[in-house]
Amino acid sequence: MENHSLVQRLIARPEFGPFVLLVVEIGVFWGFNHDFLSPQNISNTLAFTVELGLIALAMTLLMTSGEFDLSVGSLFGFSPVLMWTLFNSGVTSLEMGFVAALLVAALIGLVNGWFVTQLKIPSFLVTLGMLLVVRGSALFITDGFPQRTWSAEGSWLAEALVGDFFIGPFRIYMSLFWFIAAAIALGYVLTQSRTGNWIQAAGGNPNAARARGVNVNRVKIGLFVLSSVMASLAGVISSLRTSAANPNSGTGYELEVIAMVVIGGTALTGGRGTIIGTVLGILILRVMRNGIVLIGVPGLAYNIFIGAIILGMMALHSWLERRHQAGT
């Protein structure tokens, strides 16, 4: 009876569905093409996973508080453009350009948070407007052309963020360790700290949270800043790894990131979030993108699979939630 109860609790957890889907997904793709689990393919998949993953981790906390940020994709493209523009024009060193890009991103997050909390404008509309402002700024600065980036060779910043080495046959980038550190830190914040309680309270019932002394506005502004800074960091990491800074980079990433978070089990309406689930959601979509190409499905069909997964996972989460509330 006790084992039966344990199984029920495991199945009821929001991470259970994404975990099963990921295992099935890996098994199916490996069955079609054994190269799917080759060291080279695993290394490539992990390299791409980290960059969107960093944004998704911050988005998990923001969505748990009941808000969205649609400007993350544009910041992903804008921050490396700003960093390289400052460096190539001789205004700053590469490292100071990096700091400047993060500070500008933090300011953008602060503006987003202020509009949402002080002017009471829905975050969907605020960050949609900011998306256009930031993307337009990147295109204006560059005249629509990619920035020169090859001067980063030998920079300690590039080595610290995207330096690579081999563990056996696996090529590992330093960015993977930044992702793991961020996942552990934000997972702890969300589940083990007072701040995590504030975040969940702000998303679940903000009026009750205010009545209990939680500064909901400050919490949400802080999360908007975190979201913007993580998007900026992810963009710089991608730029250094690929030696490219395209003002159009990150187009559409905001929706893919939200999909990762939702698939992982974070409530779309706020109040409940899971970093472990988000990590699983990140892997599900990145493995899907990689796997469909390996088995010969046109890459343009990727959005069909994302949409189907989102609908399926939403139905599963809804069913599990109803079972949990019914006590069965």
Side-chain angles (χ1 to χ4, degrees):
M1 189 69 179
E2 188 175 326
N3 288 338
H4 183 64
S5 176
L6 177 62
V7 170
Q8 280 188 327
R9 288 202 301 272
L10 284 173
I11 292 175
R13 289 188 64 84
E15 298 91 350
F16 177 77
F19 175 74
V20 172
L21 177 59
L22 179 62
V23 171
V24 170
E25 195 179 62
I26 291 172
V28 168
F29 286 134
W30 181 78
F32 276 101
N33 188 335
H34 283 10
D35 286 338
F36 178 73
L37 291 180
S38 68
Q40 181 180 2
N41 191 55
I42 291 173
S43 300
N44 289 338
T45 302
L46 287 176
F48 287 110
T49 296
V50 164
E51 290 147 16
L52 273 182
L54 285 169
I55 309 175
L57 293 175
M59 187 72 81
T60 301
L61 271 62
L62 183 61
M63 288 177 61
T64 302
S65 77
E67 305 294 349
F68 292 93
D69 187 353
L70 298 181
S71 66
V72 290
S74 57
L75 267 167
F76 183 94
F78 172 76
S79 291
V81 161
L82 176 61
M83 180 183 77
W84 286 108
T85 298
L86 292 173
F87 175 67
N88 290 331
S89 61
V91 175
T92 67
S93 64
L94 185 63
E95 292 76 16
M96 288 307 298
F98 170 65
V99 172
L102 293 185
L103 289 175
V104 170
L107 179 61
I108 290 170
L110 188 65
V111 171
N112 283 338
W114 186 84
F115 269 84
V116 170
T117 59
Q118 302 303 315
L119 300 185
K120 309 301 180 186
I121 304 173
S123 55
F124 178 86
L125 296 176
V126 170
T127 57
L128 178 61
M130 189 60 77
L131 180 159
L132 297 172
V133 170
V134 173
R135 182 71 70 194
S137 299
L139 291 168
F140 178 76
I141 290 171
T142 62
D143 290 327
F145 292 102
Q147 292 295 284
R148 179 167 54 88
T149 63
W150 54 81
S151 304
E153 285 187 21
S155 163
W156 68 264
L157 177 66
E159 287 298 316
L161 292 180
V162 295
D164 62 320
F165 56 92
F166 283 87
I167 298 179
F170 297 96
R171 185 182 187 183
I172 305 296
Y173 287 92
M174 284 299 297
S175 54
L176 178 62
F177 295 98
W178 289 108
F179 172 75
I180 292 171
I184 292 172
L186 295 182
Y188 176 84
V189 167
L190 188 58
T191 61
Q192 304 294 325
S193 74
R194 184 182 299 177
T195 302
N197 292 334
W198 294 344
I199 293 169
Q200 294 179 64
N205 191 332
N207 291 330
R210 289 188 181 94
R212 295 173 72 90
V214 177
N215 191 329
V216 173
N217 289 353
R218 183 183 297 172
V219 168
K220 290 188 175 185
I221 289 173
L223 293 176
F224 274 109
V225 171
L226 176 66
S227 176
S228 294
V229 170
M230 289 289 265
S232 175
L233 175 62
V236 169
I237 286 174
S238 177
S239 172
L240 291 172
R241 183 180 62 80
T242 60
S243 298
N246 190 320
N248 286 308
S249 290
T251 300
Y253 280 9
E254 53 281 338
L255 297 181
E256 191 168 348
V257 164
I258 290 172
M260 290 171 172
V261 177
V262 171
I263 287 169
T266 293
L268 199 59
T269 53
R272 187 190 74 220
T274 161
I275 290 293
I276 294 173
T278 294
V279 171
L280 292 171
I282 294 163
L283 291 172
I284 286 168
L285 291 197
R286 300 316 287 178
V287 165
M288 176 66 73
R289 184 182 283 276
N290 176 265
I292 62 174
V293 172
L294 272 185
I295 65 175
V297 177
L300 294 175
Y302 175 61
N303 286 343
I304 299 174
F305 289 93
I306 289 184
I309 289 173
I310 291 174
L311 292 173
M313 292 308 297
M314 288 300 93
L316 177 62
H317 289 316
S318 176
W319 178 70
L320 291 174
E321 187 71 24
R322 289 197 306 272
R323 279 179 58 90
H324 180 67
Q325 289 176 353
T328 60

